[in-house]
Amino acid sequence: MSTPRIASRTRRARTLPPDPPAVPAPGPRPHRRRGNRWFTPWLYLLTPLALLVAFTGLPMAALLGYSFTDWDGLSPTQNFVGLDNYSDLFSRPQLFQVFWVSLFYLAASAVQICAALYFATVLSFNTRLRNLFKGILFFPYLINGVAIGFVFLYFFQPGGTLDTVLGWLGVGPHLWLGDPDLVNTSLAGVSVWRFMGLNMVLFIGAIQSIPPQLYEAAALDGATKWQRFRYVIAPSIRPIISLSVILAVSGALSVFEIPFIMTGGANNSETFVIQTIKLAFNFNKTGLASAAALVLLGFVFLVTWLQRRLFPDERVEQA
């Protein structure tokens, strides 16, 4: 009985097609030489580099050239005077007395950074209506500086909003923008109101990047809120604090919008930038103004370099 079955299986096996030949596995693809495409990254950088050269490099080169001439900004002729503009600039002490005004804005920047740290720390955790407060505090930064200047002109005018509120508290009116002893304090307060939100957003982003395990470990160790800020938050966001300090110092040296709109530099509120603008457009000394602008740029670079040397950024390891 088993013989026919074996025969049928043998006959069926003979009718099956043979197995296809084995295909060899593909070998590794030959690596293309990257040297033939060395220019590929530069193709992506071509547009930003062109914009950087057109709107930064060329104007800086022109400014440097103007600083060695006596050009008045209108005449087609430019006489080369060498370093006379720089010697004239450094031989006039009154041109550098305006840097004392920057001290008010530098002190305001310190207040601004401290306030931004406080609000960023509070609003980074579970606080009721924290998103609303973030929007309220950040909104002044979104407003145009010219509009802010006109708004605070009415705020500080005699009998205006500030005098009315202080009158409810029994405080008499003051010439906030007319008194040389008060004008710079008032203008610096406006800068705190405007730019505090920007620093707050930077600090919030840095605080939210801290691993939550650090907060849990600090809570298990019984750390207070101040100790958590001092030993966990502050060391972790040190690079952002350093960046804010650099921006604050450079901003204090180059203040322009708010004092120019609100006072025009009157009553001892003139800054170095306002003075440079007046040299160029009021007194037609474009060459001297160009030298002053380059001197200001050198001061900003010098202060930034000193800050980086004295307070270098340490690598923060969050573990």
Side-chain angles (χ1 to χ4, degrees):
M1 297 295 293
S2 60
T3 301
R5 292 182 178 178
I6 294 174
S8 62
R9 291 178 182 174
T10 304
R11 193 180 300 111
R12 191 181 304 162
R14 290 176 180 176
T15 58
L16 293 175
D19 296 334
V23 179
R29 295 182 178 179
H31 294 283
R32 296 181 179 178
R33 295 182 179 179
R34 296 183 178 179
N36 297 332
R37 295 188 176 182
W38 60 269
F39 57 86
T40 302
W42 293 100
L43 292 178
Y44 293 98
L45 294 174
L46 184 60
T47 300
L49 286 177
L51 294 175
L52 183 64
V53 171
F55 295 101
T56 302
L58 294 180
M60 284 295 299
L63 190 69
L64 181 63
Y66 295 151
S67 66
F68 296 112
T69 66
D70 61 351
W71 189 42
D72 59 0
L74 299 174
S75 175
T77 60
Q78 302 177 14
N79 299 319
F80 181 78
V81 296
L83 298 177
D84 290 349
N85 288 326
Y86 293 94
S87 61
D88 188 14
L89 191 66
F90 284 98
S91 62
R92 296 184 181 184
Q94 63 272 19
L95 293 180
F96 289 92
Q97 289 178 356
V98 294
F99 276 117
W100 290 105
V101 178
S102 300
L103 296 178
F104 288 91
Y105 296 95
L106 191 61
S109 299
V111 176
Q112 168 186 314
I113 291 175
C114 293
L117 273 174
Y118 172 77
F119 287 113
T121 304
V122 172
L123 298 177
S124 294
F125 301 98
N126 294 328
T127 305
R128 184 177 299 178
L129 301 177
R130 60 177 180 174
N131 291 329
L132 175 62
F133 289 113
K134 288 179 185 178
I136 292 174
L137 294 174
F138 184 69
F139 179 72
Y141 180 72
L142 302 177
I143 306 176
N144 183 269
V146 177
I148 290 177
F150 282 111
V151 168
F152 276 92
L153 275 177
Y154 292 99
F155 183 78
F156 285 121
Q157 71 178 356
T161 305
L162 183 58
D163 284 341
T164 301
V165 174
L166 293 178
W168 297 341
L169 304 176
V171 179
H174 295 83
L175 294 175
W176 300 102
L177 300 180
D179 189 349
D181 297 330
L182 295 176
V183 59
N184 290 314
T185 304
S186 304
L187 296 176
V190 176
S191 67
V192 172
W193 179 82
R194 184 187 179 191
F195 293 104
M196 191 270 294
L198 175 63
N199 288 313
M200 181 197 69
V201 170
L202 294 176
F203 292 148
I204 287 177
I207 292 173
Q208 290 180 348
S209 66
I210 300 175
Q213 295 83 356
L214 297 180
Y215 299 118
E216 296 175 359
L220 291 175
D221 292 338
T224 61
K225 294 182 179 180
W226 166 249
Q227 290 173 336
R228 277 185 286 177
F229 173 80
R230 180 180 179 183
Y231 297 106
V232 177
I233 296 177
S236 300
I237 65 173
R238 188 183 299 120
I240 304 300
I241 296 177
S242 177
L243 174 63
S244 298
V245 171
I246 292 175
L247 295 177
V249 172
S250 61
L253 292 175
S254 57
V255 175
F256 171 68
E257 271 184 337
I258 292 175
F260 184 77
I261 295 299
M262 297 182 65
T263 63
N267 300 322
N268 293 333
S269 64
E270 188 176 56
T271 63
F272 193 85
V273 178
I274 294 178
Q275 187 180 70
T276 303
I277 295 296
K278 289 183 177 180
L279 285 175
F281 298 103
N282 292 4
F283 301 102
N284 295 329
K285 295 183 178 181
T286 304
L288 184 60
S290 300
L294 291 175
V295 168
L296 177 61
L297 181 63
F299 278 151
V300 172
F301 282 154
L302 178 62
V303 171
T304 303
W305 179 78
L306 289 175
Q307 194 271 339
R308 302 288 290 185
R309 294 288 294 178
L310 296 176
F311 305 99
D313 288 338
E314 299 179 1
R315 186 173 181 179
V316 179
E317 297 183 358
Q318 298 176 348

